[in-house]
Amino acid sequence: MPRADNDEATATAEDQDEAAAATPRPFWSGTLSFGLVSIPVSLFPASRRLSVPLRMLAPDGTPLARRYYGADDDKPLGEDDLVRGYELDDGSYVLLSDEELEAADPEKSRDIDLRLFVPVAEVDPIYFERGYVLASSAESTKAYRLLAKVMEDQGQCGIATFVMRESEYLIAIFAGHGVLHAQTLRFADEVRPVRSLELPEPQQASASLVKSFVQAIDRRTKKQLDTRELRDVQLAALREHLEHKRKQGMDVIHTEQSDSGAGPHAEIIDLMEVLKRSLRGEQVEAERPARSHRARSRNPKRPAKTRPSPHERARPQPRKRRAGRAGGGTEH
Amino acid sequence: MTLRAMWKGTICLGEHNVPVKLYAAVEDRDVRLHLLHGRDHARVRQRMVHPETEKPVAAEQIERAYETEPGVFVRVEQAELDALVPKPSRRIEITHFVPHDAIEHPWFERPYYLAPDGDPARYAALVQALEHRHRIGVAHWVMRKRYYSGALHGRQGTLRLFTLRKLEEVVDLTELPSPPGRALDPRELSLAEKLVETLSGAFDPASFKDEHRQRLLELIEQKRKGGKIKQPRAPRKAAPESLSGALQASLKQLMKEDRHAPS
């Protein structure tokens, strides 16, 4: 039986987020608090996935849409025909209604409550999930700057759990150059302990071999990361190939319809612009919660892929409720 | 059960070659739900349909195209895409090293463990050298038809490889302007420092649980047995008006609770 929820090999949780945002806007607005101090903030992503959207077309060039079908039917199913279920070991399902799933939702909160500060060096990058930048959304930036200065001076970061788009996240708030930024963290049980790999005991290496490696390291040490090496050569090659075809008029189709908007084509430059403006004190509106995506604990209520994504042109379907969408999530 | 390696490669550093096995360090724990047909509780299928006729289009008739700009599609054949795929290789090239704190967190993507693959002595020497010098290696390799870049990290005798995001995708934190404002009041600064110090502690990742996931699993278990559960509500919190007032009140509250460690 074909699987319904993981059909889309291409789109990850992050991809769908990027696709949903027409222009870079804060993912979340709320307060950052420590003790009884409340700092109104907006949360922006610190990275965007870039890609060229791949679409399925009919022979006449019309972009296709996705529909769900039952086992025997040839009629597409509407939302009312669908239920969500959790598969048990024996292959049977436990059905879960929207109401039941909602009851399990985290309490809606607009607060990141920092109850713990830890030395920055103690947070192992193995927990890093996704990066964000925080801008102050208050009239006065005093509290924001105060927290940033203290954390930076003390070499500390703040740890909290918070709710963003109906999912609960563990987050670490950092300060650097007067700016607050953050990283959502994986929960401990999502990271495999090294011992689970059953690796052989680490060996003691010979001093001369270690010395040889140290020399090799020292010879190649630079003060900063050479980011030119991180250019997306694969995407550049694809774009070049497509541009060549387009210029030659090879296999090119023009259509009126497209709901891709600026989403997948939004460059990181736009995001930087919005971030700079926000940090300078201009107000930016929070994004409307993006629509559904894969049915999983990060957002289990919405059926996967019944929403019209920029990757397809779908007929608008009646929708009972808009569910929020996790800003970060497990990546593929 | 021992985990099987996802991939095998060789770290190439000058004249040194260190063969390694790669393992995913992340375990997906999300509660996955499936879409079922309400009528018979069978899994639904997806099909691609023509939006005007609502009729499914046969797989062999579906064309794939990249949308280079809104409304402009360039059709591609699989052969063209195959030609763009990088040549397979087992080499993990290390181009340079940077201080251990030189890579800002937004660059990090996904963590992997590396285990020695037949030459434990070289592996051990490399980890030791990395840890001794507090450096991170910048690595490039090809895996599963994609180019990867990553940070090579040594920790407690084990090598980790963190894939890094692409240059075009990441915000350079050093380019961000800091919010403007009047000079900070030294007394408020001092209060804030004391407050942060009072809330300081050790980072114990295991002390944080994904409670949402727990509730979902409990819900599923209850339904499987035939019951229902209710959720407790989280208490709300009110904050005082001024920053100074808030700082003072926070400290007072914390001193009263006599905390030596965070809850």
Side-chain angles (χ1 to χ4, degrees):
Chain A
M1 268 288 233
R3 289 175 62 85
D5 62 327
N6 291 339
D7 248 357
E8 180 82 295
T10 53
T12 64
E14 277 194 25
D15 289 339
Q16 291 178 324
D17 260 338
E18 303 316 321
T23 59
R25 293 185 134 188
F27 265 37
W28 183 90
S29 285
T31 58
L32 179 64
S33 32
F34 63 112
L36 297 168
V37 181
S38 260
I39 309 171
V41 290
S42 294
L43 207 72
F44 294 83
S47 62
R48 309 292 301 245
R49 278 289 179 83
L50 292 178
S51 62
V52 187
L54 179 62
R55 311 267 310 245
M56 311 283 158
L57 308 181
D60 69 0
T62 312
L64 301 178
R66 276 194 180 80
R67 297 283 183 267
Y68 291 113
Y69 290 83
D72 305 318
D73 278 351
D74 275 309
K75 235 180 42 178
L77 300 175
E79 241 181 71
D80 291 335
D81 302 320
L82 302 173
V83 292
R84 276 157 287 282
Y86 180 81
E87 187 177 14
L88 300 173
D89 289 340
D90 64 3
S92 65
Y93 289 93
V94 170
L95 303 184
L96 298 167
S97 70
D98 281 356
E99 291 72 29
E100 287 167 330
L101 289 171
E102 247 181 64
D105 267 353
E107 175 82 16
K108 278 196 189 356
S109 165
R110 287 258 161 228
D111 190 40
I112 300 174
D113 187 13
L114 296 174
R115 298 219 206 140
L116 172 65
F117 290 89
V118 306
V120 169
E122 266 188 39
V123 185
D124 188 344
I126 209 167
Y127 294 103
F128 289 169
E129 201 169 51
R130 197 177 175 189
Y132 296 88
V133 176
L134 288 84
S136 169
S137 53
E139 286 278 324
S140 160
T141 59
K142 194 166 60 163
Y144 179 106
R145 288 182 295 122
L146 200 63
L147 180 60
K149 177 147 176 59
V150 172
M151 290 206 304
E152 211 166 338
D153 287 350
Q154 295 185 355
Q156 305 257 61
C157 59
I159 307 287
T161 56
F162 83 119
V163 177
M164 180 166 61
R165 298 183 178 178
E166 295 167 11
S167 286
E168 198 170 326
Y169 291 92
L170 184 57
I171 193 167
I173 311 285
F174 302 91
H177 313 290
V179 177
L180 291 176
H181 42 94
Q183 184 80 210
T184 46
L185 305 177
R186 303 173 203 279
F187 287 95
D189 66 351
E190 292 174 320
V191 177
R192 286 204 176 95
V194 184
R195 64 175 182 278
S196 73
L197 301 181
E198 293 176 11
L199 301 179
E201 279 298 311
Q203 266 200 18
Q204 186 61 324
S206 78
S208 61
L209 197 50
V210 175
K211 186 171 172 193
S212 178
F213 271 103
V214 166
Q215 282 170 349
I217 290 172
D218 285 347
R219 266 200 299 271
R220 290 168 181 74
T221 292
K222 295 189 181 176
K223 281 216 187 95
Q224 287 180 327
L225 174 65
D226 190 346
T227 56
R228 293 171 304 181
E229 291 182 12
L230 300 177
R231 278 193 288 243
D232 195 341
V233 294
Q234 214 155 348
L235 186 60
L238 174 62
R239 283 209 172 119
E240 209 179 289
H241 175 76
L242 294 173
E243 186 55 18
H244 170 77
K245 288 188 82 168
R246 194 189 65 78
K247 284 210 176 99
Q248 305 286 320
M250 291 162 62
D251 296 325
V252 182
I253 302 161
H254 294 263
T255 115
E256 298 285 312
Q257 339 276 352
S258 174
D259 36 19
S260 57
H265 306 281
E267 300 290 338
I268 199 71
I269 302 160
D270 290 344
L271 175 58
M272 277 302 276
E273 266 315 299
V274 171
L275 275 172
K276 284 177 179 171
R277 277 166 42 208
S278 290
L279 287 165
R280 286 194 198 110
E282 291 174 43
Q283 297 305 319
V284 184
E285 267 179 48
E287 203 169 75
R288 267 184 16 227
R291 293 180 232 163
S292 69
H293 50 291
R294 284 187 291 188
R296 27 192 304 203
S297 63
R298 285 277 154 96
N299 185 10
K301 291 181 299 301
R302 302 298 305 169
K305 281 165 290 302
T306 55
R307 74 173 177 100
S309 81
H311 298 269
E312 66 201 24
R313 200 199 81 201
R315 182 162 298 171
Q317 293 192 333
R319 214 164 298 282
K320 280 190 213 136
R321 205 183 65 239
R322 292 224 179 116
R325 171 75 187 87
T330 312
E331 299 174 30
H332 65 86
Chain B
M1 187 170 66
T2 327
L3 198 65
R4 266 186 56 203
M6 270 178 61
W7 189 74
K8 291 186 182 193
T10 301
I11 296 172
C12 301
L13 171 57
E15 73 273 25
H16 292 293
N17 290 322
V18 184
V20 290
K21 292 191 275 201
L22 191 107
Y23 299 84
V26 170
E27 205 166 326
D28 187 3
R29 296 272 189 183
D30 279 340
V31 174
R32 290 183 182 276
L33 303 180
H34 297 298
L35 274 178
L36 312 171
H37 193 178
R39 192 186 61 197
D40 57 6
H41 300 172
R43 282 222 206 151
V44 300
R45 294 170 303 155
Q46 275 195 52
R47 294 164 92 169
M48 303 301 292
V49 307
H50 196 293
E52 280 151 28
T53 63
E54 288 286 317
K55 289 246 185 316
V57 176
E60 57 273 12
Q61 295 207 300
I62 294 176
E63 311 249 347
R64 303 174 124 225
Y66 282 99
E67 191 171 10
T68 54
E69 40 187 280
V72 179
F73 298 88
V74 178
R75 275 203 311 260
V76 290
E77 298 284 325
Q78 189 55 44
E80 294 171 60
L81 299 179
D82 289 345
L84 292 170
V85 152
K87 275 205 336 261
S89 168
R90 295 277 172 197
R91 296 174 66 87
I92 303 171
E93 302 280 2
I94 311 293
T95 52
H96 60 292
F97 294 86
V98 294
H100 70 102
D101 55 0
I103 302 185
E104 304 262 23
H105 67 80
W107 289 105
F108 287 85
E109 192 171 45
R110 207 158 168 84
Y112 295 91
Y113 288 121
L114 297 178
D117 186 20
D119 195 343
R122 285 219 136 70
Y123 178 100
L126 175 55
V127 191
Q128 265 189 255
L130 277 174
E131 290 196 75
H132 173 63
R133 300 301 274 150
H134 293 296
R135 304 268 163 80
I136 300 183
V138 180
H140 307 277
W141 71 102
V142 174
M143 188 169 72
R144 301 184 171 179
K145 302 187 177 178
R146 282 182 53 191
Y147 286 110
Y148 285 91
S149 299
L152 184 67
H153 223 236
R155 185 186 159 104
Q156 294 168 355
T158 306
L159 283 178
R160 291 102 58 87
L161 194 55
F162 297 98
T163 56
L164 298 176
R165 296 172 193 267
K166 302 296 178 192
L167 172 62
E168 299 88 341
E169 298 180 335
V170 171
V171 168
D172 185 348
L173 295 178
T174 61
E175 277 189 38
L176 296 175
S178 56
R182 303 229 308 256
L184 296 170
D185 184 317
R187 282 172 310 171
E188 287 179 343
L189 197 52
S190 170
L191 279 170
E193 279 167 8
K194 285 207 183 72
L195 185 50
V196 169
E197 272 164 22
T198 316
L199 292 170
S200 292
F203 181 49
D204 178 19
S207 64
F208 299 94
K209 306 278 184 227
D210 187 346
E211 291 175 0
H212 183 205
R213 195 199 321 143
Q214 273 318 112
R215 283 195 297 274
L216 274 175
L217 291 172
E218 279 163 17
L219 166 65
I220 288 163
E221 186 56 21
Q222 287 296 322
K223 286 220 79 180
R224 190 181 71 80
K225 289 182 184 154
K228 260 203 172 167
I229 51 173
K230 293 212 190 310
Q231 300 304 320
R233 302 306 235 176
R236 296 187 136 271
K237 190 181 66 173
E241 283 290 317
S242 79
L243 177 56
S244 288
L247 286 167
Q248 302 253 17
S250 306
L251 273 177
K252 252 202 222 146
Q253 191 172 305
L254 288 170
M255 303 304 192
K256 238 197 289 181
E257 289 170 17
D258 199 31
R259 328 158 50 124
H260 297 287
S263 58

